[in-house]
Amino acid sequence: MLGIQKIVWIGCLSALAVLASGCTNGADSKNTDASARPTAEAVVSSSAVLTPAIVEVTPRPSAQPVSLFAGGVPEYDGSGRAYLTGGTELQANYSADQHQPLALFMPEQMIRFEQNARTAWGTPDKQNWIVFKPVSNENTAEPKVDKTDSDGSKTALLQYKEYQGSYSENDGRVDVFLFTAKGQEYHAQIRTTAEQREKLLPLFVDMLREVQYMKKQPPLVAGVFVQKPDVGKGKENKQMLQEVMNCLEAIATQDKQKFMKTMYSPETGEYLGFYFDNRVAYRFNEITYAGIPAKGTQRADFNVAYQSMTDEGYLADRSNTISLLRNKQGEWKVANID
């Protein structure tokens, strides 16, 4: 597959309540001390199908503040997230800040939008959101925050080292966190309205807990930029190379019809259909002929090095082996890409 998938099961009762109830307003995690976290989670990583496990964590009060981030804010590694809400798996999409080298995992019912020239993620009515803002000496107009717990909602937040306090804003309240990513300090601001605060605030905190660092890269120029390897002068060898080249060109241009013609079977093409996700661009840079690995077998291998970039700007260097089999007509066709 194209990358590691990662599922985080969120067990925060308040967060589950808003998602299980449908989150009527709509909406575009790591702790050095697991015993102090208000959520229950288990993380499972795999390149294939995931079988999640659930670990129950009983929240206990902590005498000392703990960090939201275990080991700091990590660089994005191509993983994904999903939230389990009332027995239903809710996917979350990786969504990049359009102004800062940061991104988070946005639940499907939220949207991304611009809020005061900053990227925000929140409910479709744009009344509840989270934003990131770099801290600099020029930022002198920030509202004054306090840590008084007038409504009882800050008790869980006071356990985090990053929590700075909150301030009122019209019909809502903004909670402020301070964190560092790659040496740069940022304020995370979470705004919730009074009627949605109890339900949405824990979910926004979990989203903040999963913030990732991702450096912006120039757009990837998709295509096949390889030097054809020497496969010998045999007719069959030349045919198998041409089949691989056609397959790569089809992926780079997102031509599924051409791609299917290179496949060993329709089932093979459907299995490899994930290459035709128009949110990913591919640039193939190198191809080598690995030959037939075992004498007498009907499989031939080619190794391919390439880059892929998602529509959110995540660039990855990858490599795959393309395996071909000879069909009943005597032609070599792509049987797998792994």
Side-chain angles (χ1 to χ4, degrees), residues 54-233:
I54 298 177
V55 177
E56 295 294 339
V57 178
T58 302
R60 291 194 297 264
S62 175
Q64 296 296 327
V66 296
S67 177
L68 272 168
F69 312 101
V73 174
E75 289 194 35
Y76 182 51
D77 61 3
S79 63
R81 297 290 187 277
Y83 299 94
L84 185 65
T85 64
T88 301
E89 183 179 308
L90 175 69
Q91 293 296 320
N93 300 313
Y94 190 71
S95 183
D97 192 306
Q98 302 302 289
H99 308 286
Q100 309 300 329
L102 300 171
L104 49 67
F105 296 91
M106 179 182 69
E108 286 183 330
Q109 74 267 49
M110 289 189 180
I111 63 171
R112 181 174 63 189
F113 55 93
E114 288 294 302
Q115 177 70 31
N116 298 327
R118 287 180 280 168
T119 299
W121 301 265
T123 53
D125 62 7
K126 301 181 181 180
Q127 297 302 302
N128 303 272
W129 40 254
I130 179 173
V131 299
F132 300 130
K133 184 176 182 181
V135 177
S136 67
N137 294 331
E138 289 74 30
N139 293 343
T140 58
E142 293 293 333
K144 184 177 180 180
V145 299
D146 68 78
K147 293 188 176 182
T148 57
D149 197 12
S150 58
D151 62 359
S153 61
K154 297 184 188 177
T155 303
L157 301 181
L158 292 171
Q159 67 179 301
Y160 298 121
K161 294 178 181 178
E162 293 81 7
Y163 185 59
Q164 303 296 294
S166 68
Y167 62 89
S168 296
E169 184 186 76
N170 299 324
D171 64 338
R173 193 156 192 86
V174 178
D175 291 282
V176 181
F177 297 78
L178 177 66
F179 67 96
T180 301
K182 294 293 182 178
Q184 170 66 54
E185 288 189 324
Y186 296 90
H187 276 137
Q189 298 179 337
I190 297 175
R191 184 189 192 275
T192 49
T193 57
E195 62 272 16
Q196 292 293 329
R197 183 174 175 79
E198 182 179 354
K199 294 180 179 180
L200 286 178
L201 182 56
L203 177 58
F204 280 123
V205 172
D206 281 324
M207 291 167 60
L208 172 59
R209 194 194 309 273
E210 289 295 323
V211 67
Q212 310 275 292
Y213 177 88
M214 185 178 70
K215 184 179 180 181
K216 300 294 185 294
Q217 301 286 349
L220 182 70
V221 178
V224 180
F225 303 90
V226 303
Q227 182 175 349
K228 291 183 179 180
D230 183 7
V231 296
K233 298 181 180 180

